[in-house]
Amino acid sequence: MSGATRAAAAPRLYDRTPELAAVAALSARAADGSGGVLLVTAGPGMGRTALLDRAVRDCAIRAHRVAAPSGNRVPWSGVRALVSALAPTPSAARRAVRAARGPEGVAGALTALRPGEPLLLCVDDHHLWDAHSRTALDAAWREGPVPWAWVVSFAGHHRPPDVPGARVLRLGRLGRQGAGALLDDVCRAPLTASVRARLLDEAAGHPGVLTAMAARLSAAGHPAAPPDGGGGEPPDAVTDDAVLSEVYRGLLESLPAESGRVLTLVAIAGEPEPAATGPSAARPVGADAVLAVTRAVRASPEALDRLVADGLLRGTREALWFEDPFLRRAVLGTVPPSRRRDLRALFAPPAGEGARAGTRTVTGAGAGAPTAPTDSALARGAGHRADRLRAAEDVRALPGVVRGRAELVRGLAALADGPVGDAYQVLLLAASLLREGAPDEAADARFLAMEAAWAAGDPEACATALRGGGERADGPDLSVGADGADGADGADGADGPDRSLGRDRPGGAGDFADAAERDFRDGMCAALAVRLHEAHAPLVRVVARDGAAEEPRHLLRAGAAALVLGDAPTAVRIHARALAKVRAEGRTALLPRVLEHLAYAELRAGRHERAAAHAREGLRTAELTGQRNAAAHQHAVLALAASVSGDTRAVEEHAGRALGTARPHGLVQATTLAEWSLARAELADGLAAQAAARLAPLVGQGPRSGHFALRMLAVPCFVEAACAAGRAADARVATEEFAVWAGLGADPQAPAQLARCRALLAGADDSAHWYGEAVRHHEETGNDFERARTLLAYGKWLRRRRRPVEARGPLSDALVTFERAAAGVWADQARAELRATGGAVGGSAAASQEAARELTPQQQRIAGLVAAGATNREIADRLSLSPRTIDHHLRNVFARLGVRSRVELSGLLTRAAGDAHRAGP
């Protein structure tokens, strides 16, 4: 059966027999109800779409090919296109989109649309689909056995979807025979033997190039004519750069702007010698030469690293080349001649240096080649900027600067998606190499090294990086920024490592920046050494100065200082301002880090729902930009937020994903947050012994301890779990250490939490005093969730001492607070304890309406009459029943709704009626 998106005619394919056989086998499995996922990848023009069209045409079951929608920036546009192809009506499609966005996901939406029907679904250009749709599809493919056949195509330079067990097909070039058959098929008239042979030789089996050149020759009016329409034999190169640019246009337009500029630099630097012949006579070019001129085209060194990671470029530091030679020529075909001359000038030596013995220009023009014009960037440059614009041979004469920049690029890549311990060492090496020739970049490298050390949970390494890898404390100025969680601008691929702070203006902005950096360095070093009295004054100055700055990384530094000072609300405000700045400036690569800082600050402030919302956005942007380490931190924040709401499944999912990256990459901070979230979820579910066992190594000392900035924050949770599990001795040891830390004033919540810990451990006579102290401290510092946990513990203690009337007050307060914070599992605990005291148990709007709907029609009538004030005998007379039957029904109503009196029942039904009226029809 054919779907609406079938190809009108079966496309002819050549040399694709194995690929078609794989698709046919997958379709056969789908017909049997097993299905699976087949991934198809290839470069531009290799026939991914043609293969999918052919698969749809030949399939014996219902099949559809769904391409990336034109509005692929619109969230869920891809899923909307997919379900629209399957839905019988637009309204069914809208319902399916809502289902796909809900807990059931894409699988539930497709099951509702086509229950039990085998399907072949071809997702074309998966990399161009919107992020929401890609995430939803990837989740559906990972969740388990796939009942349908999925064929998913994506560009060769993009990472494949993470689908366990999926087979990957890589479409290669055609053989000579297959290429000849394709050429004969697409040409309107027979080609002359010489043109046909040259086309086959130059296209090298590339189907897209063959098709484009056949169209060009046919349009020229004569099958044997060259592309310019002249007579005679074709030119030396039938396949010109303009045609290649057309074939590769989609890839080139999809690249980030700075990646395209760096790709152009590599293509220009690798242009062949004048005496070279052949269309692919290109020279490898050193990475150092390209890195030296990236700033001249407003690109960052990270862009070069991304191109190598994506496979568009290959090679080593000494020699880079294009993985696909056609791509190099396609890039050159997009550069106007005047622009080519300007870019070549960047690689030319300064005037008078080209004739030195043994010296060659990068472009290989020799001694007689023209040098850079006097108004070039090199001629205008000064200091370290001039170093970046010299020829490769001159750059190699400055091995420290050149090597430092290369190491900085490697460190950035490792920090975003690699072991942070490796990133730390590489970045320290980069800082030492850049110290003399490029002090601004050296400061950036030191800052990034500190960020890596913080993520790794190594305070000594943080202090080393802050001081410049062994420099004196009053040595060169540092450009650092880290909060209680992370640094500031470590992954900003949009701006690169050039983050000048104006040091070249004595008495002006440079001095201001130097003072802020010194204060941050001194304050953070003192805080890392647990000398908080010394850290306070310089960090307060950082918050005051950088908190009013316009540069996002300065704002992040101010927010960092605020968190170290324990002022979480100020940190939230400053980080929110940084987020607004980053969004306004379009700095996508920095966005995950800013959102990570903001989400963590909101967690510290007790704003768990807001933290989860920002963490979800940060997770999406981290995945889009390939920053797996940032994604791990966002998963950890989401897990901790879910442990508040009581969503155990979400806790396990996010914590598992965080740990999957954090453990191999050495992210101790993310590991600690994830383990803490799992333990808190276990404690909420009543698994105190399991929670205590999980937290014990985190709050202890030694190689298994948690992150140094988080270890003490988890102690109150451990004490509560240990007391419930009968590990009072361990709880006392942890409480005494926590008391020392609380006395330092690092966290405003610590005094209240310490009093709660002492109440849990105290005897019957002292517990009431410590609970009272805890509540008093909570009133002074805020954080409703922690206050509610203290009230819940106090209410439990009172009830177990047979003081139910006194327990109702704190338990009712705790219940309302938990409901307001959407802490479902904690609210359930408070509600159960309150019910055990005989107190009235209210509920949220949704809960009260749901409770009323649970009654049978007869029970609803009886309950309504009771709420109106009728007695049992009056109700019996009205309904023609016996008073005993009314009493029986009323007891069932009380039990089902969890109430103990007619007054409570009346109040609950009144609230339910009011909620239903406000909610409307």
Side-chain angles (χ1 to χ4, degrees), residues 209-464:
V209 174
L210 278 170
T211 303
M213 277 312 303
R216 172 72 67 87
L217 289 175
S218 298
H222 192 282
D228 59 3
E233 285 297 313
D236 290 340
V238 180
T239 309
D240 59 14
D241 294 350
V243 170
L244 294 176
S245 299
E246 183 65 25
V247 174
Y248 284 77
R249 182 178 60 180
L251 185 153
L252 296 176
E253 291 179 349
S254 70
L255 292 175
E258 64 172 0
S259 296
R261 291 193 286 268
V262 173
L263 209 59
T264 301
L265 284 179
V266 178
I268 292 292
E271 283 189 290
E273 304 279 357
T277 59
S280 60
R283 296 186 297 105
V285 58
D288 297 338
V290 176
L291 289 174
V293 299
T294 51
R295 298 231 181 134
V297 296
R298 304 188 311 278
S300 66
E302 297 96 316
L304 177 61
D305 189 70
R306 287 195 297 269
L307 291 169
V308 173
D310 290 340
L312 297 178
L313 295 176
R314 286 284 185 265
T316 62
R317 182 188 306 176
E318 291 74 20
L320 282 175
W321 63 86
F322 281 81
E323 175 72 8
D324 183 355
F326 285 158
L327 177 58
R328 179 187 67 82
R329 295 176 55 198
V331 171
L332 292 174
T334 64
V335 184
S338 59
R339 179 62 174 164
R340 285 200 196 191
R341 288 192 297 270
D342 292 342
L343 292 177
R344 289 194 195 102
L346 295 178
F347 293 99
E353 294 187 14
R356 292 183 307 181
T359 300
R360 291 176 59 236
T361 64
V362 173
T363 56
T371 59
T374 57
D375 62 343
S376 68
L378 176 61
R380 296 194 306 270
H384 67 276
R385 289 186 178 274
D387 293 339
R388 296 173 191 171
L389 303 180
R390 292 177 185 167
E393 288 77 8
D394 296 296
V395 173
R396 293 190 186 99
L398 301 171
V401 172
V402 172
R403 289 177 54 209
R405 288 172 184 150
E407 297 302 330
L408 180 56
V409 171
R410 291 183 177 86
L412 280 166
L415 186 60
D417 187 9
V420 289
D422 296 351
Y424 174 78
Q425 297 297 337
V426 172
L427 291 165
L428 278 189
L429 174 60
S432 65
L433 292 171
L434 294 167
R435 183 177 301 162
E436 299 298 329
D440 289 347
E441 296 176 41
D444 293 326
R446 289 192 293 269
F447 147 64
L448 293 168
M450 190 219 63
E451 184 181 27
W454 190 284
D458 190 339
E460 291 79 10
C462 285
T464 299

Side-chain angles (χ1 to χ4, degrees), residues 597-697:
H597 288 225
L598 177 56
Y600 180 77
E602 288 171 329
L603 278 182
R604 292 286 302 274
R607 305 173 185 177
H608 301 97
E609 290 184 283
R610 296 184 190 179
H614 284 122
R616 282 190 289 270
E617 182 183 356
L619 179 60
R620 290 193 297 268
T621 56
E623 291 175 342
L624 284 173
T625 54
Q627 301 180 44
R628 283 199 299 163
N629 289 349
H633 282 97
Q634 303 289 11
H635 275 302
V637 170
L638 286 169
L640 203 61
S643 70
V644 172
S645 64
D647 189 345
T648 304
R649 180 179 177 183
V651 172
E652 293 174 350
E653 178 183 357
H654 287 297
R657 294 192 180 185
L659 294 171
T661 300
R663 283 170 174 162
H665 287 187
L667 303 173
V668 176
Q669 181 184 14
T671 300
T672 303
L673 287 173
E675 293 285 1
W676 185 8
S677 67
L678 290 168
R680 193 152 71 178
E682 291 163 348
L683 180 60
D685 288 338
L687 304 175
Q690 191 170 332
R694 187 184 297 276
L695 286 172

Side-chain angles (χ1 to χ4, degrees), residues 22-64:
V23 175
L26 179 63
S27 301
R29 291 201 303 272
D32 294 336
S34 57
V37 180
L38 181 65
L39 305 177
V40 179
T41 180
M46 296 301 293
R48 298 192 311 269
T49 299
L51 178 66
L52 266 58
D53 281 338
R54 178 64 178 271
V56 168
R57 190 70 183 179
D58 293 349
C59 187
I61 61 177
R62 185 181 186 90
H64 294 268

Side-chain angles (χ1 to χ4, degrees), residues 686-715:
L687 304 175
Q690 191 170 332
R694 187 184 297 276
L695 286 172
L698 296 183
V699 302
Q701 298 185 6
R704 297 177 61 203
S705 66
H707 191 274
F708 64 87
L710 298 173
R711 190 169 67 90
M712 286 293 104
L713 300 180
V715 166

Side-chain angles (χ1 to χ4, degrees), residues 528-563:
L528 289 167
V530 201
R531 299 193 306 271
L532 299 185
H533 62 287
E534 297 178 20
H536 186 269
L539 292 181
V540 166
R541 290 195 294 269
V542 171
V543 172
R545 283 191 297 237
D546 285 353
E550 296 296 322
E551 170 62 34
R553 63 191 181 87
H554 292 168
L555 291 169
L556 288 173
R557 185 167 63 188
L563 272 181

Side-chain angles (χ1 to χ4, degrees), residues 548-837:
E550 296 296 322
E551 170 62 34
R553 63 191 181 87
H554 292 168
L555 291 169
L556 288 173
R557 185 167 63 188
L563 272 181
V564 173
L565 292 170
D567 190 355
T570 297
V572 169
R573 175 179 55 80
I574 294 174
H575 284 139
R577 188 162 177 256
L579 176 62
K581 292 287 184 182
V582 168
R583 284 174 171 163
E585 296 172 8
R587 298 168 71 171
T588 305
L590 181 58
L591 192 57
R593 311 301 297 173
V594 176
L595 288 164
E596 177 187 333
H597 288 225
L598 177 56
Y600 180 77
E602 288 171 329
L603 278 182
R604 292 286 302 274
R607 305 173 185 177
H608 301 97
E609 290 184 283
R610 296 184 190 179
H614 284 122
R616 282 190 289 270
E617 182 183 356
L619 179 60
R620 290 193 297 268
T621 56
E623 291 175 342
L624 284 173
T625 54
Q627 301 180 44
R628 283 199 299 163
N629 289 349
H633 282 97
Q634 303 289 11
H635 275 302
V637 170
L638 286 169
L640 203 61
S643 70
V644 172
S645 64
D647 189 345
T648 304
R649 180 179 177 183
V651 172
E652 293 174 350
E653 178 183 357
H654 287 297
R657 294 192 180 185
L659 294 171
T661 300
R663 283 170 174 162
H665 287 187
L667 303 173
V668 176
Q669 181 184 14
T671 300
T672 303
L673 287 173
E675 293 285 1
W676 185 8
S677 67
L678 290 168
R680 193 152 71 178
E682 291 163 348
L683 180 60
D685 288 338
L687 304 175
Q690 191 170 332
R694 187 184 297 276
L695 286 172
L698 296 183
V699 302
Q701 298 185 6
R704 297 177 61 203
S705 66
H707 191 274
F708 64 87
L710 298 173
R711 190 169 67 90
M712 286 293 104
L713 300 180
V715 166
C717 191
F718 168 72
V719 171
E720 184 176 350
C723 289
R727 299 176 57 171
D730 295 336
R732 286 192 177 87
V733 172
T735 299
E736 293 310 312
E737 186 179 4
F738 186 73
V740 175
W741 182 77
L744 299 174
D747 184 5
Q749 299 297 324
Q753 293 172 324
L754 174 62
R756 186 174 72 206
C757 292
R758 293 202 183 283
L760 291 169
L761 291 166
D765 296 334
D766 296 332
S767 290
H769 164 74
W770 286 115
Y771 277 124
E773 285 295 299
V775 172
R776 183 177 63 81
H777 283 299
H778 279 306
E779 296 294 343
E780 297 172 354
T781 58
N783 197 324
D784 287 345
F785 177 72
E786 287 298 324
R787 176 178 172 275
R789 289 186 65 182
T790 297
L791 290 170
L792 175 60
Y794 186 28
K796 287 180 178 180
W797 181 83
L798 289 170
R799 189 181 72 81
R800 283 156 179 73
R801 297 283 173 305
R802 300 182 182 278
R803 297 159 65 180
V805 176
E806 296 178 61
R808 290 172 190 168
L811 289 174
S812 297
D813 196 353
L815 174 59
V816 171
T817 305
F818 283 137
E819 288 180 339
R820 187 165 54 239
V825 67
W826 301 94
D828 290 342
Q829 286 190 28
R831 189 176 293 109
E833 290 288 335
L834 183 57
R835 184 178 291 116
T837 66

